[in-house]
Amino acid sequence: MAERRYKAFISYSHRDKAIAGWLHRALETYRLPKHLLDSGKAERLHPIFKDREELPAADSLGDAIALAIESSDALIVLCSPAAAKSPWIAREIDLYKRLNGDRGVFPVIVDGEPPDNFPAPLLVHYEDGQPTEAKSEPIAADLRPEGDGKKLAKLKLVAGLAHVDLDTLVQRDSARRQKRLAMVAAASVFGMVGTSGLALYAIDQRNEAREQRAEADGLIEYMLTDLREQLEPVGRLELLDGVGKRAMDYYARQKLADLSATELGRRVRAVQLVAEVQNLRGNNEEALPAFRQAARTTEELLARDPDNPEAMFNHGQSLFWVGYIAWQHGQMDEAKRAMEAYADISTRLAAMDRSNLEWQMEEAYSLSNLGTMAVDDGELSRALRYFERSAEDTDRVALAEGRPDARQIELAGCLSWIATTLKQLGRISEAIDVRRDELAIYDTIIAADPANNEARKGRIFAASGLGQMLMLQGNKSDARSHLDSSITEADRLIASDPDNTLLHELTRGGISHRAMLAWSQGDHALATRNFDRLERLQNDLRRRDPKNYQWNIADPANLELKRALTDRSQAPPESLRRMTGNSRDIARKADRESEWMLVAASLIDGFAYERENNFKAARESFRNAATVPETKGERIDLNAIALRAKAAEKAGQAKIAARMNKKLAELEVDPVIDDRLP
């Protein structure tokens, strides 16, 4: 038996890496009360093994891992759905229990519900170095807020690892924490973290400066974790703004080359916490610089050890967040650079070990992100190839994992992107087939687990999208069935979670398509009821976020034009022209859907002039609608084609009308938007 060197070995899935890092720090830095310790016993649980070397592709555990397990007094297993499916975690548990039996095994729930989130060997009783037929029923600490919570779960582990009384730890920790929180809260509100006093004093004295840097990093991390836990539930995260500003000023003065790997690691954690707090508050203008700082730091760590998989993974995550926030801000050049770099790292990681399913999924995620970037550029064929590769990778991982629900939902999401892109390319029949495959995944999951709301949310969008495409092919009966099921599902979920803005967003598509379908079939009253409901939903979203461009500008203009073509087409001509003027200005600035909006605006103007018997102005408006330039790129705007054909007919431009109608026939579609136009 190897000589023991570790207090414990933490076994975890890479998907739970963040919580593993927190727990590792929390346990190693916890100081045990002296009066509880036997003579000569250490006050700290140190060292604890966490940072595993990458496992080889062979069936046996790596020698370094096996040695670390043999050298550990206890085994901490982070339990989650990902951990339950990991063959590596199962082997780590098996090796430890063959050496020690069930003694010293501490399960910690991170996500999911027991026993489904427990790796199989946890549930087996070991005796004389072998698994038996008997079951083991381990008692787990539960990190989830609805369980023990982080603090109590940590104290349970400390008590178990140190063999001390839990109640005494809880009482002592409560008293100490109250004093620290009072002091830190005062500092945050009235002085906002004394990083200048902690980290900048005597900065030219290297040893002392390093100690102070560690203190400052620790204080920042503490405030952005423990204090945040106190402030977030009561909606007072703004009190951390000063912490974030001081922290960013402090880190901006550091030279990365002067920092050790440990110091760089602390810097990454703290800066990411600053970014995370700002992102939670919706303040991405402050979050983006923080994520950039984190990426600079992970880049430095990777430069020092270019072939280190963990350094590669961490830098990839930093790059993703930079790309994501930049994309949200419309800073597309930076977003593309970051996402392409993230994809490069993810692809290299995946190639290093094809048996590492988490790395395969990183590649799948990165390909999907590149597809999204390509869609924004209008390069739909390239986007489709990315989405298809992402779906293939996800399907391969899902198969290897036994097709768990969570992974199947991710696969359905890939299919959703493929279906949407095929529709934009005008390949409607193919898009319908893919959308049906997506729906089949959701229906299978829901049939087995009716309470799976993630599958139900996905189904809302998928059923709505399928209904819209069936409308395009003239299958209005099936279209109505799918649209109604989408709306019913959305209503059910909204009733249980009325403040969920995602549900409100998902609902709008089905309601809009249902209104257009009702109008095309002559049911004016039903169309109006659906349009009115859609307007109420949009107004609610606008109140929730007055700065959201889509909710406040683009979507209302889109709805206004649809109503001007349908149930409000008999509004006074001057009212119609006022609506089209507003929509035309918005459409000229829009990146998407601008073509159909510009065609519709001129067409509606023509109808308004006709009602005033101003036939010259009407003809000019119809000509303008018929000759709106087609959007460059591959995206096919079916509504624009249909309305352009109608405008050309009204303007007497038979050739244009024939060309538009021929294009629709070749695509085998018949949009309903022009079904009742005069």
Side-chain angles (χ1 to χ4, degrees):
M1 182 74 65
E3 181 182 351
R4 295 197 181 277
R5 294 181 294 110
Y6 299 106
K7 295 292 185 183
F9 179 106
I10 301 180
S11 180
Y12 64 98
S13 164
H14 206 80
R15 189 173 292 273
D16 302 320
K17 182 176 181 295
I19 198 68
W22 170 83
L23 183 61
H24 182 254
R25 294 191 300 276
L27 293 176
E28 284 203 331
T29 57
Y30 189 86
R31 190 183 298 275
L32 289 155
K34 290 183 179 180
H35 69 276
L36 293 181
L37 299 175
D38 296 334
S39 177
K41 236 183 177 181
E43 292 181 13
R44 294 185 187 273
L45 298 168
H46 183 277
I48 290 175
F49 188 92
K50 176 189 75 76
D51 293 318
R52 298 177 295 179
E53 295 179 10
E54 295 306 318
L55 296 176
D59 289 338
S60 62
L61 290 169
D63 290 340
I65 297 300
L67 180 60
I69 291 173
E70 293 172 9
S71 305
S72 297
D73 292 316
L75 177 72
I76 300 170
V77 183
L78 300 195
C79 299
S80 68
K85 300 177 185 70
S86 170
W88 310 117
I89 294 177
R91 291 174 187 179
E92 288 170 358
I93 299 169
D94 177 74
L95 176 57
Y96 180 89
K97 294 182 79 168
R98 285 180 185 275
L99 295 170
N100 303 284
D102 296 341
R103 178 190 60 79
V105 179
F106 297 90
V108 180
I109 296 174
V110 173
D111 193 14
E113 294 294 336
D116 295 338
N117 59 353
F118 278 22
L122 274 183
L123 302 173
V124 176
H125 174 64
Y126 280 61
E127 198 165 301
D128 298 327
Q130 296 294 327
T132 70
E133 295 296 323
K135 291 184 178 181
S136 175
E137 297 181 354
I139 298 175
D142 192 343
L143 290 169
R144 299 173 302 171
E146 64 269 27
D148 298 323
K150 281 186 174 181
K151 292 181 176 63
L152 180 56
K154 177 189 74 175
L155 293 179
K156 283 185 175 181
L157 279 174
V158 170
L161 294 170
H163 307 290
V164 298
D165 179 65
L166 174 61
D167 288 341
T168 304
L169 285 185
V170 171
Q171 293 171 11
R172 176 257 202 172
D173 192 73
S174 176
R176 184 181 66 177
R177 185 169 65 251
Q178 288 173 8
K179 181 183 290 184
R180 289 176 69 195
L181 279 175
M183 293 172 60
V184 174
S188 69
V189 177
F190 298 109
M192 295 305 178
V193 146
T195 49
S196 58
L198 287 171
L200 304 179
Y201 172 73
I203 199 71
D204 57 337
Q205 300 177 33
R206 189 174 185 83
N207 291 336
E208 187 175 353
R210 289 209 162 182
E211 288 182 17
Q212 291 171 344
R213 275 202 297 265
E215 273 193 78
D217 293 342
L219 178 57
I220 291 168
E221 189 171 351
Y222 170 75
M223 293 192 69
L224 294 171
T225 52
D226 286 41
L227 184 57
R228 168 181 155 189
E229 288 180 12
Q230 306 296 316
L231 297 176
E232 189 172 348
V234 293
R236 297 306 307 277
L237 281 178
E238 77 278 1
L239 293 178
L240 292 178
D241 283 352
V243 180
K245 184 178 185 306
R246 293 291 184 93
M248 294 307 295
D249 289 345
Y250 161 53
Y251 287 123
R253 302 172 74 155
Q254 291 181 339
K255 294 182 179 179
L256 297 185
D258 293 340
L259 303 182
S260 68
T262 300
E263 290 170 324
L264 286 171
R266 284 198 302 264
R267 174 190 166 100
V268 170
R269 290 194 298 271
V271 173
Q272 284 179 333
L273 285 167
V274 172
E276 188 178 327
V277 168
Q278 295 300 340
N279 185 244
L280 279 173
R281 294 190 58 213
N283 186 5
N284 284 335
E285 289 184 8
E286 296 295 332
L288 183 56
F291 280 125
R292 287 173 182 150
Q293 281 277 15
R296 284 183 56 227
T297 311
T298 52
E299 183 179 32
E300 174 69 20
L301 281 166
L302 181 58
R304 296 184 187 186
D305 193 358
D307 297 322
N308 185 310
E310 184 174 357
M312 293 170 66
F313 180 86
N314 289 340
H315 188 46
Q317 300 306 296
S318 295
L319 288 168
F320 164 77
W321 278 108
V322 170
Y324 178 68
I325 302 298
W327 176 67
Q328 284 189 323
H329 274 89
Q331 299 177 19
M332 297 308 298
D333 288 342
E334 182 175 16
K336 287 177 191 173
R337 286 194 301 271
M339 286 300 187
E340 287 170 356
Y342 165 54
D344 178 65
I345 285 177
S346 299
T347 299
R348 286 192 288 129
L349 265 178
M352 288 173 69
D353 183 359
R354 289 297 177 188
S355 67
N356 189 316
L357 300 182
E358 291 167 2
W359 292 354
Q360 307 313 304
M361 282 307 302
E362 283 300 316
E363 182 177 30
Y365 298 144
S366 70
L367 290 169
S368 182
N369 293 335
L370 291 180
T372 304
M373 300 283 114
V375 167
D376 284 340
D377 285 341
E379 298 179 10
L380 298 180
S381 295
R382 183 162 66 94
L384 182 61
R385 290 193 293 273
Y386 282 131
F387 293 138
E388 288 174 338
R389 287 174 58 195
S390 179
E392 289 169 3
D393 287 351
T394 305
D395 187 45
R396 188 164 52 250
V397 172
L399 178 62
E401 294 176 335
R403 299 203 176 280
D405 289 351
R407 192 69 77 205
Q408 286 294 96
I409 289 172
E410 288 187 327
L411 174 59
C414 295
L415 297 179
S416 181
W417 273 112
I418 292 172
T420 297
T421 308
L422 286 169
K423 174 183 171 292
Q424 291 175 331
L425 286 165
R427 295 159 59 177
I428 303 302
S429 293
E430 295 174 70
I432 287 175
D433 289 341
V434 175
R435 194 67 81 182
R436 289 191 190 279
D437 290 341
E438 178 194 358
L439 266 176
I441 291 176
Y442 295 134
D443 288 340
T444 299
I445 294 171
I446 293 168
D449 180 12
N452 192 318
N453 283 346
E454 290 306 308
R456 290 189 175 278
K457 289 175 188 175
R459 197 187 190 290
I460 293 170
F461 184 80
S464 170
L466 180 57
Q468 181 197 24
M469 289 189 289
L470 291 170
M471 282 168 55
L472 288 168
Q473 288 196 330
N475 189 347
K476 294 184 178 181
S477 175
D478 284 352
R480 181 172 61 250
S481 175
H482 285 292
L483 292 173
D484 287 345
S485 74
S486 172
I487 295 169
T488 300
E489 187 72 72
D491 287 343
R492 190 185 74 81
L493 291 183
I494 288 174
S496 62
D497 190 5
D499 293 325
N500 190 319
T501 55
L502 174 60
L503 291 174
H504 290 283
E505 282 200 275
L506 291 173
T507 307
R508 290 184 303 161
I511 295 173
S512 177
H513 302 324
R514 188 67 184 92
M516 292 300 300
L517 179 59
W519 178 260
S520 74
Q521 295 180 312
D523 193 337
H524 186 287
L526 179 58
T528 295
R529 286 200 301 274
N530 277 290
F531 278 134
D532 285 347
R533 182 182 176 188
L534 182 58
E535 201 161 285
R536 289 194 299 272
L537 275 173
Q538 290 191 169
N539 289 337
D540 179 62
L541 289 172
R542 293 168 77 176
R543 283 192 296 271
R544 291 170 187 261
D545 186 357
K547 295 183 179 180
N548 187 304
Y549 175 84
Q550 194 68 30
W551 294 352
N552 288 272
I553 307 296
D555 289 342
N558 197 307
L559 176 57
E560 195 170 47
L561 282 180
K562 284 182 179 178
R563 301 201 76 165
L565 287 167
T566 57
D567 69 323
R568 291 180 180 169
S569 60
Q570 297 307 305
E574 61 273 16
S575 296
L576 291 175
R577 283 193 292 271
R578 191 161 49 247
M579 288 188 286
T580 60
N582 178 53
S583 298
R584 188 180 285 108
D585 289 341
I586 293 168
R588 285 171 178 155
K589 300 173 185 177
D591 294 327
R592 302 177 183 177
E593 298 194 83
S594 58
E595 184 183 345
W596 97 266
M597 291 176 70
L598 290 171
V599 176
S602 291
L603 182 62
I604 293 165
D605 283 346
F607 292 143
Y609 284 124
E610 270 190 336
R611 285 168 52 196
E612 295 174 329
N613 296 320
N614 188 343
F615 297 109
K616 181 179 179 181
R619 179 180 286 266
E620 183 64 23
S621 293
F622 292 139
R623 283 194 184 123
N624 289 339
T627 55
V628 168
E630 295 184 35
T631 303
K632 294 181 180 179
E634 299 176 279
R635 184 178 287 113
I636 295 177
D637 191 331
L638 298 174
N639 281 339
I641 296 172
L643 294 179
R644 192 182 281 111
K646 173 60 69 174
E649 290 172 7
K650 299 287 288 185
Q653 297 174 315
K655 288 184 179 180
I656 294 178
R659 181 160 51 87
M660 294 297 105
N661 287 322
K662 180 182 178 183
K663 183 178 290 189
L664 293 174
E666 289 171 347
L667 293 170
E668 298 180 333
V669 295
D670 182 17
V672 302
I673 197 165
D674 64 338
D675 278 5
R676 294 178 60 193
L677 295 180

